[in-house]
Amino acid sequence: MTTPTFFDDYNDNSLDLGKWAIITPGSPVVVSEQSQQLRITLPGSTASYNGVRSNATYDMRGGTAQVEQVQAVSQAGWVENTLVLESVAANAYFLINVGAGSTMFRSSLNDVFDQLVIPYDSVGHRFWRIRHNQTPNSVSFETSPNGAV
């Protein structure tokens, strides 16, 4: 089976609404594409979430999802960055979350959680990857300083 490739290098300073939907369009948290980056700008003293989700669905068997966190969020408070892959049909998700000085890796299947929390490393955790290994049908959570190691 061939897994389709979904890629966005954010190279045109315009969020591709064919690929992405803003999660909360009316939020005071602004989602934009600037300088070849997806940017999420928080107004001061605001308690809110926002981000993007893909418009299409993908078969992740044998697949990989990877993002680069170019600038870490403040680790002093309750600001978080999250990458989530979810299967609504299977009641499952896989998550990498950074905030409050920690990096969390979590899997959930039918509301049963398995997670690991480690200290956040702004250099070592620049790239985040969630990868499905067809044999032995497992999921790997990976971080990297350069996207290759």
Side-chain angles (χ1 to χ4, degrees):
M1 169 170 65
T2 303
T3 303
T5 300
F6 177 77
F7 179 79
D8 195 340
D9 61 4
Y10 302 106
N11 65 349
D12 60 4
N13 291 322
S14 178
L15 190 62
D16 186 343
L17 298 178
K19 292 180 180 178
W20 303 108
I22 295 174
I23 294 171
T24 311
S27 171
V29 177
V30 177
V31 177
S32 63
E33 180 179 323
Q34 299 174 24
S35 304
Q36 292 187 293
Q37 298 174 356
L38 175 68
R39 293 195 179 194
I40 301 173
T41 306
L42 303 167
S45 301
T46 299
S48 186
Y49 288 94
N50 210 349
V52 293
R53 64 169 175 76
S54 67
N55 289 326
T57 58
Y58 298 91
D59 184 340
M60 287 299 297
R61 289 176 287 188
T64 299
Q66 178 174 299
V67 298
E68 177 184 9
Q69 182 185 33
V70 175
Q71 179 181 350
V73 297
S74 168
Q75 297 300 301
W78 291 105
V79 179
E80 300 174 341
N81 284 129
T82 304
L83 169 65
V84 179
L85 303 180
E86 77 180 308
S87 171
V88 176
N91 193 24
Y93 71 83
F94 302 95
L95 169 146
I96 298 175
N97 178 280
V98 168
S102 297
T103 300
M104 177 176 62
F105 308 94
R106 176 188 285 169
S107 66
S108 173
L109 178 59
N110 295 319
D111 296 323
V112 176
F113 301 106
D114 186 12
Q115 73 180 30
L116 172 67
V117 179
I118 61 175
Y120 175 65
D121 176 345
S122 62
V123 174
H125 299 171
R126 183 176 176 110
F127 287 83
W128 307 350
R129 184 179 309 134
I130 300 173
R131 180 172 48 87
H132 178 256
N133 310 295
Q134 289 203 288
T135 306
N137 190 26
S138 64
V139 173
S140 296
F141 295 89
E142 302 167 334
T143 62
S144 169
N146 60 13
V149 175

